[in-house]
Amino acid sequence: GEWRRALDLLAEMQRQGLSPNCNSFNSAISACGRAGELDTALELLSTGMRAAGVEPDVVSWSAAIAACQRRGEWRRALELLDGMRRQGVAPNERTFGAAISACAKGGAPPERALELLAEMRSSGLRVTQVAVSAAISACGAAGDWKAALFLLDEIRRSGASSSLAGREAGA
């Protein structure tokens, strides 16, 4: 698959005496994540990049968190989110969107998704449709319809387009 080709390319670069850069690793982490190869994606982030002397950037961390999201591994996603902060890398909209989606897909308590959404706002980041949709899904999956409806009302009050609000509601 694509993920194996990405790993082969990294290995070939090193055999040829070329140093893979952050973009090379980010592509491989993303490919592994899309293929459901979570452990391989996380190994590239934690071991492969460091061994090559490459520091993970926000794209690296976000790709690894997205890999967790695809598997519903919300705890691991949140551990990575904490890890990136400890490394001095600030999460962006995609990072939060993937982490909140991991919470929704993995059955995390809805409070976790709502906390991340609040943190996203307080960080001054644009709250994305992906993030809000995932938070609504997390609330709905837990049967917390009051919180889900509150988020929908908030979308409407904030002046978001009616088409966005309709999509958030599953229309």
Side-chain angles (χ1 to χ4, degrees):
E2 177 188 351
W3 70 277
R4 287 190 194 278
R5 284 195 300 274
L7 295 179
D8 289 344
L9 284 171
L10 283 177
E12 182 61 26
M13 286 177 76
Q14 291 172 328
R15 278 194 297 276
Q16 296 290 329
L18 301 171
S19 299
N21 62 19
C22 198
N23 290 334
S24 306
F25 279 101
N26 292 347
S27 295
I29 292 167
S30 293
C32 290
R34 283 190 302 273
E37 294 292 329
L38 177 58
D39 292 333
T40 305
L42 296 181
E43 186 176 321
L44 284 170
L45 178 75
S46 66
T47 306
M49 292 183 84
R50 300 225 191 306
V54 176
E55 282 298 316
D57 64 6
V58 67
V59 176
S60 315
W61 289 100
S62 297
I65 291 170
C68 293
Q69 177 268 321
R70 286 181 186 90
R71 296 266 302 267
E73 296 273 353
W74 67 273
R75 287 180 182 89
R76 288 174 96 177
L78 297 184
E79 288 169 8
L80 288 171
L81 186 62
D82 289 341
M84 76 183 288
R85 290 182 183 126
R86 283 193 304 274
Q87 296 296 316
V89 180
N92 64 16
E93 289 91 350
R94 286 183 182 227
T95 315
F96 277 108
I100 295 168
S101 293
C103 289
K105 186 170 184 178
E111 296 79 20
R112 296 299 296 134
L114 294 173
E115 289 167 6
L116 290 170
L117 196 62
E119 186 180 337
M120 187 178 189
R121 283 189 184 102
S122 68
S123 298
L125 296 173
R126 183 178 61 85
V127 175
T128 64
Q129 178 182 349
V130 169
V132 176
S133 293
I136 289 169
S137 293
C139 292
D144 189 350
W145 296 107
K146 186 175 181 180
L149 290 172
F150 174 81
L151 288 171
L152 281 171
D153 284 343
E154 192 172 282
I155 291 168
R156 290 186 182 106
R157 281 194 312 272
S158 71
S161 71
S162 60
S163 62
L164 170 62
R167 283 196 303 274
E168 300 296 349

